[in-house]
């Protein structure tokens, strides 16, 4: 550990006596002066230390929210004085020693809230608790549940089972973290070589000795003979732990081994009594949810339920970042269902719906997630987030990596790679070099290449990438060839502007992010490129039929001075190992499931000191899909928080997830696997308090003409406007019928206008939403002010027929991104900016707050339709005489809302578009 890091850790310890919110820059400076009174810290840059600490204390976390069933009663805070927190204390000390800036106060608070919703393990008799914890992809859930496990064991839970995904690599990685953060010894050395080597928390004294029946070895999953040899009784004085993967054979072996400890109860069922079990299901949406029927239960779901049912005292907690499938689990189940585990008949037990509690953990402010990468606007609050400038187009995959890769063409392996992949590799080389300049030469660097699932494709692409790296390394070392000029051009044209963008838009202060000169970057290129290796990540271990033999597991722990790796893989990268220091992602694989797409976003997470160097190379279609899922997920979280504020229960949480708008099944997303939604195909949805606006337009002249005709027909049905100005024409007291007709005839894919019009019609039948304001927005400027293609041109005028008169007005312009469709670059704020949100309200303030605007609209119960005819010159594919018609609608919050059915339809996918998954484990 260098002196600066040591001083930083000591400073955090000194600052722990203050409330985190109360730590000011003055307090930081005062405590830093105390550090310089200690021997050995004289040579440290004081200003750099203070700057780093100030940045640390800018990071904050919001409060976790939860839905809790009525019969879940709090107990922890009454019992805390009786619990000796040995394990938690040493975990906290260990994490502080590892990184004193880690938000342990937040982990402490959140794990207390979760444990308080579990059953007190000292409770007598039989009990069964089902819960779920929702976090974000790559946001630190392992650290969270490791903290929870420590506290639960302190409180009296005797057996801990962690089910860690479906791959050996992820299971072994999780076991390593449990070894370091809970057990305190190297499990492989202990089980395989009977050596007691202390690691992690084991370096800190605690009275409790913990035993593991599994190890971090690649083949260290549960085996009955090893468990028997260890010979530590479950439920005894010493707590025991297992880290297993979701695998039929593993679960059956574990159930059969545990069954020997079961005794017959009063009703004849065999149970393991008085051994409080805490079962953590990591990636709980993956494989655990039953996609069969109530009686025809899928294997993993059936075995997890059977395992839980063996214990008369158990708490089950599913951890996931994508809870769509878990919320769709039916609350009904067969209490007579039995199963054969090999030759033993056992009861299956209750399904895994989180009936008792759901806890939603918001990420810290320095988390880089879907919102930061893709952008988002929260219509309810008016907050808008523009994504950081880190996405790059990869539209040149054909003919190298076919868009439709399937059984018909899977044997036609590529002989070269697209130029976009070569650019991504160059970006990774620059990233490794720049991180060295930022003092991160000993940090891990990873690049992800995720193109196909087939092992033979992963193998070939890894071989091609390695050949490219050989060439690039030779050119950099020799100074020959064109690569150095290409790297300089990429650095000057891309990296400098992106760093500037991130510095201007990052929501927290990261002092390590700064501009560099090319001469400095070039000076470290040889050191950076020499360190990079290429790994193929798949399940095949037999190299006889492989071209590329560097397939060993990526073990970051073996590289004390940091590992730089380009990982080429399939499912194991999608839901497998965590790629440490991931900066560049090249991602083309298509899946149409919300949960799978979000889990594949391995580029989410924490990027201290290098978020400006991160790049995501992908297709326009995938960008659009991710942006839609981001919107749907944020809406879901907003609904959750509203319900939590109303003290509602998990059973009340009828998940309202925005479905994908594509009407053609080949391009359409599905929320989760259709089998997991069999009981939830129709959801009732309301728009009370919602804002809807168009910001994506198809470059289809027939649709443009049709929408303009709908617009003209609406104008013809309106009476005399109450205001006619150069930039606004406003109507009030407009009946709903012409608006419903407009929405029914308006064509676009993003919003379900048919559903929206049906919704308004249903409210009208009940005497609601009958009286509307309608505004037509024009451009009064002489020149186009919007950035982009039209900037500086003369404003295009157009003639509008209003109340039998023709009014000449300027067409608004926007900075559209032109691809297969037109999309406003600034996200959803295409039409309803603040001036338009209040356009029909008589507010005295010139710039009222969003809350005031919303409050006034709700008070008046005044719905609003804003129409905007956009300048069509933005695309040469369109007739420049016909404006693009966009609209925005604001519906106030109102009582007695009549909801409409929101269909989560089963989508029949084009089978040629999906790839079979042969990324399998050899030993499964």
């Amino acid at each position: 550990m260098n002196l600066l890091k040591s001083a930083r850790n000591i400073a955090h310890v000194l600052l722990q006596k203050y409330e985190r919110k109360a730590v000011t820059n003055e307090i930081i400076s005062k405590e830093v002066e105390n550090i310089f009174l200690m021997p050995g810290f004289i040579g440290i840059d004081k200003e750099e230390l203070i700057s780093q600490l100030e940045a640390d204390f800018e990071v904050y976390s919001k409060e976790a929210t939860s839905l809790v069933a009525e019969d879940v009663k709090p107990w922890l805070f009454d019992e805390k004085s009786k619990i000796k927190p040995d394990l938690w204390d040493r975990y906290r000390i260990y994490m502080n020693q590892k990184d004193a800036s880690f938000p342990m106060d937040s982990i402490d608070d959140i794990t207390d809230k979760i444990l308080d919703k579990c059953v007190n393990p000292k409770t007598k008799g039989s009990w069964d608790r089902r819960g779920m914890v929702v976090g974000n992809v790559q946001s630190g859930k392992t650290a969270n549940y490791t903290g929870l496990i420590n506290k639960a064991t302190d409180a009296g839970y005797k057996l801990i089972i962690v089910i860690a995904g479906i791959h050996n690599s992820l299971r072994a990685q999780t076991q390593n973290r449990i070894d370091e953060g809970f057990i305190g010894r190297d499990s492989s050395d202990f089980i395989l070589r009977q050596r007691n080597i202390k690691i992690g928390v084991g370096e800190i004294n605690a009275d409790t000795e913990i035993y593991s029946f599994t190890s971090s070895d690649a083949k260290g999953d549960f085996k009955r003979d090893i468990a028997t040899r260890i010979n530590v009784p479950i439920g005894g004085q010493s707590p025991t732990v297992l880290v297993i993967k979701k695998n039929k054979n593993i679960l059956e072996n574990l159930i059969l081994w545990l069954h020997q400890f079961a005794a017959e109860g009063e009703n004849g069922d065999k149970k393991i009594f008085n051994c409080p079990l805490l079962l953590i299901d990591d990636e709980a949406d993956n494989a655990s949810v039953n996609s069969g029927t109530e009686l025809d239960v899928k294997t993993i779901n059936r075995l997890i339920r059977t395992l839980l049912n063996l214990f008369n005292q158990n708490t089950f907690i599913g951890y996931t970042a994508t809870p769509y499938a878990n919320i769709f689990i039916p609350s009904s189940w067969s209490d007579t269902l039995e199963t054969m585990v090999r030759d033993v008949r056992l009861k299956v037990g209750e399904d895994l719906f989180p009936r008792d509690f759901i806890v939603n953990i918001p990420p810290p402010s320095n988390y880089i997630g879907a919102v930061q990468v893709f952008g988002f606007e929260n219509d309810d609050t008016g907050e808008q987030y523009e994504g950081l400038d880190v996405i790059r187009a990869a539209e040149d995959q054909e003919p190298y990596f076919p868009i439709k890769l399937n059984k018909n063409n899977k044997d036609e392996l590529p002989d070269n790679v697209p130029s976009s992949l070569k650019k991504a590799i160059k970006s990774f080389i620059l990233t490794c070099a720049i991180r060295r300049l930022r003092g991160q030469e000993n940090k891990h660097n990873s690049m992800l290449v995720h193109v196909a699932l087939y092992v033979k494709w992963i193998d070939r692409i890894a071989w091609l990438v390695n050949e490219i790296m050989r060439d690039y390394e030779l050119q950099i070392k020799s100074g020959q060839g064109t690569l150095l000029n290409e790297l300089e051009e990429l650095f000057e044209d891309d990296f400098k502007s992106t760093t500037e963008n991130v510095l201007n838009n990052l929501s927290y202060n990261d002092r390590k992010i700064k501009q560099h000169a090319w001469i400095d970057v070039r000076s470290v290129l040889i050191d950076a490129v020499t360190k990079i290796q290429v790994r193929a990540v798949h399940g095949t271990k037999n190299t006889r039929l492989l071209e590329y033999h560097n397939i060993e597991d990526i073990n970051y722990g073996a590289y004390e001075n940091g590992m730089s790796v380009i990982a080429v893989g399939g499912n194991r990268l999608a839901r497998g190992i965590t790629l440490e220091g991931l900066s560049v992602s090249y991602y083309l694989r298509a899946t149409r499931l919300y949960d799978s797409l979000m889990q594949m976003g391995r580029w989410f997470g924490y990027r201290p000191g290098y978020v400006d160097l991160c790049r995501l190379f992908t297709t326009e279609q995938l960008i659009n899909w991710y942006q839609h899922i981001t919107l749907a997920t944020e809406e879901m979280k907003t609904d959750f928080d509203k319900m939590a504020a109303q003290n509602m229960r998990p059973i009340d949480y009828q998940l309202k997830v925005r479905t994908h708008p594509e009407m053609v099944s080949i391009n359409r997303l599905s929320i989760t696997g259709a089998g997991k939604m069999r009981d939830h195909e129709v959801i009732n949805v309301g728009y009370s308090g919602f804002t809807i606006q168009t910001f994506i337009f198809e470059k289809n002249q027939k649709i443009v003409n049709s929408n303009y005709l709908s617009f003209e027909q609406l104008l013809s049905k309106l009476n005399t406007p109450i205001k006619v100005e150069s930039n606004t024409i406003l109507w009030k007291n407009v009946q709903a019928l012409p608006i419903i007709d407009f929405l029914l005839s308006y064509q676009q894919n993003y919003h379900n206008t048919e559903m929206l019009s049906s919704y308004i019609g249903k409210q009208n039948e009940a005497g609601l939403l009958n009286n509307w304001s309608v505004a037509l927005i024009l451009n009064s400027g002489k020149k186009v002010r919007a950035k982009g293609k039209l900037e500086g041109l003369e404003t295009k005028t157009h003639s509008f027929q209003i109340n039998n008169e023709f009014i000449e007005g300027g067409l608004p312009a926007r900075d559209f991104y032109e691809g297969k469709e037109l999309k406003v670059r600034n996200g959803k704020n295409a039409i309803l900016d603040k001036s338009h949100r209040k356009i029909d309200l008589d507010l005295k303030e010139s710039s009222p707050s969003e809350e005031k605007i919303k409050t006034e609209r709700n008070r008046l119960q005044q719905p609003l339709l804003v129409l905007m005819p956009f300048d069509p010159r933005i695309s040469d594919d369109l007739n420049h005489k016909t404006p693009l018609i966009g609209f925005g609608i604001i519906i106030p919050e109102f009582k007695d809302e009549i909801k409409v059915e929101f269909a989560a339809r089963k989508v029949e996918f084009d089978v040629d578009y999906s790839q079979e998954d042969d990324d399998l484990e050899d030993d499964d």
Side-chain angles (χ1 to χ4, degrees):
M1 184 182 296
N2 61 41
L3 279 180
L4 182 64
K5 186 174 180 180
S6 296
R8 180 184 174 198
N9 282 352
I10 292 170
H12 272 279
V13 172
L14 295 175
L15 290 164
Q16 284 178 2
K17 61 190 175 191
Y18 303 96
E19 286 285 333
R20 187 175 178 88
K21 293 178 182 178
V23 175
T24 63
N25 292 350
E26 291 75 19
I27 290 174
I28 289 173
S29 297
K30 184 182 80 171
E31 294 298 344
V32 165
E33 291 296 335
N34 291 329
I35 292 174
F36 280 84
L37 297 176
M38 303 176 189
F41 292 107
I42 303 300
I44 294 174
D45 186 328
K46 183 187 297 185
E47 294 305 315
E48 185 178 7
L49 175 58
I50 290 173
S51 176
Q52 178 64 66
L53 290 166
E54 288 174 354
D56 290 346
F57 278 86
E58 279 187 8
V59 176
Y60 63 91
S61 295
K62 295 180 180 177
E63 289 286 320
T65 53
S66 58
L67 305 181
V68 186
E70 304 102 318
D71 58 348
V72 175
K73 304 300 181 187
W75 61 272
L76 179 61
F77 297 95
D78 286 338
E79 297 290 320
K80 254 195 168 184
S81 61
K82 304 171 190 173
I83 297 172
K84 187 179 179 184
D86 271 7
L87 299 178
W88 166 253
D89 283 347
R90 74 172 186 172
Y91 179 63
R92 180 173 191 137
I93 293 167
Y94 166 69
M95 295 297 283
N96 277 329
Q97 289 175 346
K98 193 175 178 183
D99 180 2
S101 65
F102 191 82
M104 284 306 294
D105 287 344
S106 175
I107 295 283
D108 191 9
D109 291 341
I110 291 168
T111 49
D112 268 358
K113 288 180 180 178
I114 298 169
L115 183 58
D116 197 33
K117 293 166 182 58
C118 302
V119 178
N120 180 353
K122 302 298 184 185
T123 303
K124 302 295 183 184
S126 296
W127 40 265
D128 180 286
R129 185 64 48 92
R130 304 289 164 100
M132 182 169 69
V133 176
V134 181
N136 287 262
V137 176
Q138 300 287 295
S139 66
K141 67 179 183 300
T142 307
N144 181 285
Y145 68 65
T146 303
L148 176 65
I149 288 168
N150 278 284
K151 285 187 174 179
T153 308
D154 281 331
Y157 277 89
K158 290 298 185 181
L159 176 62
I160 310 293
I161 299 175
V162 179
I163 307 180
I166 62 175
H167 296 297
N168 279 330
S169 52
L170 180 56
R171 191 214 66 81
Q173 186 180 69
T174 304
Q175 178 82 55
N176 267 317
R177 295 182 179 181
I178 295 296
D179 285 357
E180 292 176 359
F182 177 54
I183 300 169
R185 70 164 68 90
D186 186 316
S187 56
S188 291
D189 263 332
F190 184 77
I191 289 176
L192 300 179
R193 290 171 283 277
Q194 288 77 52
R195 295 191 303 181
N196 192 10
I197 298 178
K198 300 290 187 182
I199 62 171
V201 294
E203 303 286 349
I204 303 159
N205 288 332
D207 293 337
T208 307
E209 186 82 3
I210 300 162
Y211 290 89
S212 176
F213 294 113
T214 55
S215 75
S216 54
D217 183 73
K219 294 188 178 295
D221 213 329
F222 178 78
K223 295 179 177 64
R224 281 193 275 177
D225 59 332
I226 289 178
T228 302
R229 175 168 58 79
I230 292 173
N231 195 28
V232 175
I234 62 167
Q237 190 65 30
S238 296
T240 48
V241 60
L242 303 96
V243 181
I244 64 174
K245 67 174 178 288
K246 293 180 188 178
N247 173 275
K248 175 178 180 288
N249 290 335
I250 297 295
L251 284 165
E252 286 186 341
N253 281 334
L254 177 57
I255 289 168
L256 292 174
W257 180 74
L258 288 169
H259 186 255
Q260 67 180 309
F261 305 114
E264 193 169 303
E266 292 178 1
N267 60 359
D269 290 344
K270 293 194 75 175
K271 298 271 187 182
I272 298 171
F273 289 94
N274 303 319
C275 174
L277 164 70
L278 173 62
L279 194 154
I280 302 288
D281 183 5
D282 197 2
E283 309 286 6
D285 60 299
N286 187 22
S288 299
V289 178
N290 180 29
S291 57
T293 66
E294 191 174 288
L295 296 177
D296 180 21
V297 180
K298 296 301 181 182
T299 301
I300 299 299
N301 175 268
R302 171 173 52 82
L303 291 172
I304 292 175
R305 290 161 60 182
T306 304
L307 173 60
L308 287 167
N309 198 58
L310 268 179
F311 291 81
N312 82 319
Q313 298 176 340
N314 71 81
T315 291
F316 169 85
I317 306 178
Y319 271 75
T320 181
T322 48
Y324 312 109
N326 304 77
I327 300 299
F328 287 128
I329 294 172
S331 54
S332 62
W333 53 282
S334 171
D335 60 0
T336 61
L337 185 65
E338 294 182 332
T339 186
M340 293 297 296
V341 180
R342 309 277 169 82
D343 56 349
V344 179
R345 181 176 296 278
L346 296 168
K347 274 199 172 181
V348 173
E350 185 176 350
D351 209 340
L352 302 179
F353 178 75
R355 54 168 156 76
D356 295 308
F357 66 88
I358 305 172
V359 177
N360 180 39
I361 305 174
S365 57
N366 61 340
Y367 172 74
I368 303 298
V371 170
Q372 290 75 24
V373 174
F374 297 104
F376 172 70
E377 182 189 0
N378 187 324
D379 287 329
D380 287 342
T381 64
E383 292 177 290
Q384 180 180 343
Y385 299 91
E386 186 172 346
L388 300 173
D389 182 26
V390 296
I391 300 175
R392 301 292 179 266
E395 299 291 349
D396 58 348
Q397 65 187 88
E398 295 277 10
Y400 311 97
F401 307 151
I403 293 174
K404 293 185 178 181
L405 180 59
N406 51 50
K407 60 185 179 182
N408 298 321
N409 62 357
K410 70 177 183 179
D411 294 326
E412 300 171 14
L413 300 177
D415 295 321
N416 204 341
V417 303
S419 58
S420 58
L421 178 51
K422 293 177 181 177
K423 183 179 179 181
I425 295 170
K426 294 170 192 173
S427 297
F428 184 60
I429 293 171
L430 287 174
T431 294
C432 293
I434 294 169
R435 291 194 72 190
R436 298 182 78 87
L437 295 178
R438 294 180 181 177
Q440 298 181 334
E441 64 273 14
N442 294 327
K443 297 289 186 181
H444 302 304
N445 293 289
S446 299
M447 175 178 173
L448 176 156
V449 180
H450 186 76
V451 173
L453 294 180
Y454 299 118
V455 169
K456 62 179 67 176
W457 271 77
I458 294 169
D459 177 55
R460 171 58 65 87
I461 293 166
W463 183 84
L464 290 170
V465 169
N466 191 60
E467 290 300 300
I468 291 168
M469 279 302 305
R470 285 178 187 272
D471 175 51
Y472 286 177
E473 182 178 345
L474 182 61
Q475 289 192 54
I476 289 172
K477 285 181 174 178
S478 66
Q480 304 297 312
T482 61
L483 180 63
L484 285 172
N485 289 335
E486 292 166 4
L487 288 173
E488 181 178 8
E489 183 179 349
L490 181 61
F491 173 76
E492 296 290 348
D493 295 348
D494 185 325
F495 275 67
K496 280 192 169 181
S497 59
T498 303
T499 296
E500 187 66 25
N501 170 270
V502 170
L503 285 170
N504 290 334
N505 293 286
L506 202 61
S507 61
Y508 60 94
N509 177 30
D510 191 330
R511 52 166 292 280
K512 284 191 177 294
I513 297 177
K514 55 189 174 185
Q515 294 286 8
H516 301 276
W518 169 247
I519 189 171
D520 296 323
V521 176
R522 178 168 179 169
S523 70
V524 294
L525 279 175
I526 292 177
D527 290 335
V529 75
T530 305
K531 200 173 181 178
I532 297 171
Q533 54 184 298
V534 179
R535 293 280 178 91
V537 182
H538 51 68
T540 299
K541 300 304 180 188
N542 185 348
T543 61
R544 184 170 56 85
L545 299 177
L546 299 177
E547 291 180 280
Y548 192 67
H549 292 178
N550 194 352
I551 60 173
E552 62 184 288
D553 289 339
I554 298 174
N555 181 10
Y556 292 100
Y559 293 80
E560 292 183 2
N561 296 321
M563 181 185 193
S564 294
V565 62
I566 299 177
V568 182
N571 258 353
R572 289 177 170 228
L573 296 184
R575 277 189 182 263
I577 59 171
T578 297
L579 293 172
E580 302 286 350
L582 178 62
S583 54
V584 178
S585 300
Y586 189 85
Y587 175 66
L588 300 181
R589 179 191 170 189
T591 175
R592 295 182 195 77
L593 303 182
Y594 285 22
D595 40 17
S596 295
L597 267 178
M598 286 300 278
Q599 288 289 350
M600 288 174 181
R602 314 308 287 179
W603 46 85
F604 303 140
Y606 303 97
R607 303 290 181 264
Y610 66 100
V611 66
D612 61 315
L613 310 179
C614 294
R615 298 291 183 271
L616 168 58
F617 289 80
T618 191
T619 64
E620 180 187 343
Q621 182 183 57
L622 280 167
I623 292 168
N624 290 339
W625 283 3
Y626 269 107
Q627 287 175 334
H628 172 78
I629 299 167
T630 302
L631 169 63
T633 303
E634 291 300 310
E635 287 180 337
M636 181 187 73
K637 289 179 179 178
T638 298
D639 283 348
F640 184 94
D641 289 344
K642 285 180 179 177
M643 292 187 68
Q646 298 167 14
N647 296 319
M648 299 186 80
R649 308 164 300 169
I651 198 67
D652 299 321
Y653 191 26
Q654 280 289 315
L655 185 68
K656 181 180 71 179
V657 181
R658 179 190 293 267
T659 56
H660 192 246
E662 288 281 1
M663 301 305 167
V664 183
S665 64
I666 190 169
N667 294 324
R668 189 161 176 240
L669 296 172
S670 183
I671 293 170
T672 187
K676 299 173 185 177
M677 297 179 62
R678 64 188 183 278
D679 290 347
H680 294 78
E681 291 182 351
V682 175
I683 305 168
N684 290 320
V685 170
Y687 288 91
S688 172
F690 265 56
T691 299
I692 304 103
Q693 57 183 318
T694 50
F695 61 99
I696 298 177
F697 300 86
E698 289 192 48
K699 291 192 300 182
N700 182 318
Q701 194 61 50
K702 287 184 179 179
I703 291 177
V704 172
N705 293 342
S706 173
N707 287 342
Y708 184 74
L709 179 61
S710 300
F711 165 74
E712 283 190 317
Q713 289 173 346
L714 172 59
L715 292 185
S716 70
K717 297 173 184 176
L718 302 180
N719 295 322
T720 304
I722 66 164
K723 180 165 71 172
V724 179
E725 295 179 351
S726 58
N727 63 347
T728 307
I729 301 174
L730 179 66
W731 293 264
K732 284 194 173 183
N733 301 316
V734 177
Q735 294 300 299
L737 186 58
I739 293 170
I740 292 172
D741 290 340
F742 168 72
L743 292 172
L744 277 173
S745 60
Y746 188 92
Q747 297 183 48
Q748 57 99 54
N749 279 338
Y750 193 73
H751 296 293
N752 190 331
T753 50
E754 182 181 351
M755 180 187 297
L756 181 57
S757 61
S758 172
Y759 171 84
I760 295 170
K762 283 196 173 186
Q763 311 316 305
N764 286 178
E765 292 171 7
L768 303 166
L769 299 185
N770 268 319
N771 192 5
W772 287 68
S773 299
V774 177
L776 173 61
I777 306 299
L778 303 173
N779 184 2
S780 60
K782 294 182 179 180
K783 299 274 189 182
V784 174
R785 293 165 58 184
K787 293 181 180 179
K789 181 177 179 180
L790 304 181
E791 186 176 7
L793 296 181
E794 295 285 335
T795 296
K796 183 176 181 61
T797 58
H798 189 81
S799 184
F800 303 91
Q801 186 174 359
I802 296 172
N803 202 24
N804 297 321
E805 292 184 17
F806 285 93
I807 297 176
E808 196 83 8
L811 295 181
R814 288 288 184 273
D815 181 14
F816 283 100
Y817 169 75
E818 186 172 12
K820 295 176 184 175
E821 56 196 0
L822 293 166
K823 184 164 71 170
V824 178
R825 287 185 187 274
N826 290 332
K828 293 186 62 190
N829 204 18
I831 294 166
L832 293 170
D833 62 23
K834 183 182 278 193
S835 64
H836 301 151
R837 292 175 194 267
K838 67 181 182 70
I839 200 164
D840 60 329
L841 304 177
D842 296 322
L843 293 168
K844 295 179 181 178
E845 300 174 51
S846 59
S847 184
S849 67
E850 291 287 352
E851 189 59 36
K852 195 163 276 189
I853 294 170
K854 186 176 179 180
T855 299
E856 180 65 7
R857 186 166 301 285
N858 291 342
R859 186 185 71 81
L860 296 173
Q861 291 292 287
Q862 185 63 61
L864 169 67
L865 168 66
V866 173
L867 301 163
M868 190 172 289
F870 287 117
D871 190 333
R873 293 177 296 172
I874 192 66
S875 174
D876 294 333
D877 295 335
L878 296 176
N879 182 337
H880 291 178
K881 293 181 180 179
T882 308
L884 290 156
I885 302 301
F887 71 85
I889 287 179
I890 303 177
I891 296 176
E893 292 181 6
F894 61 98
K895 297 179 180 179
D896 303 321
E897 178 185 34
I898 301 170
K899 296 189 176 182
V900 295
E901 288 184 345
F902 195 99
R905 299 183 185 91
K906 295 179 181 177
V907 181
E908 296 297 330
F909 292 151
D910 176 352
V911 294
D912 286 341
Y913 194 73
S914 301
Q915 299 176 37
E916 298 169 2
D917 183 1
D918 61 357
D919 183 16
L920 301 175
E921 307 279 358
D922 277 349
D923 59 349
D924 288 354

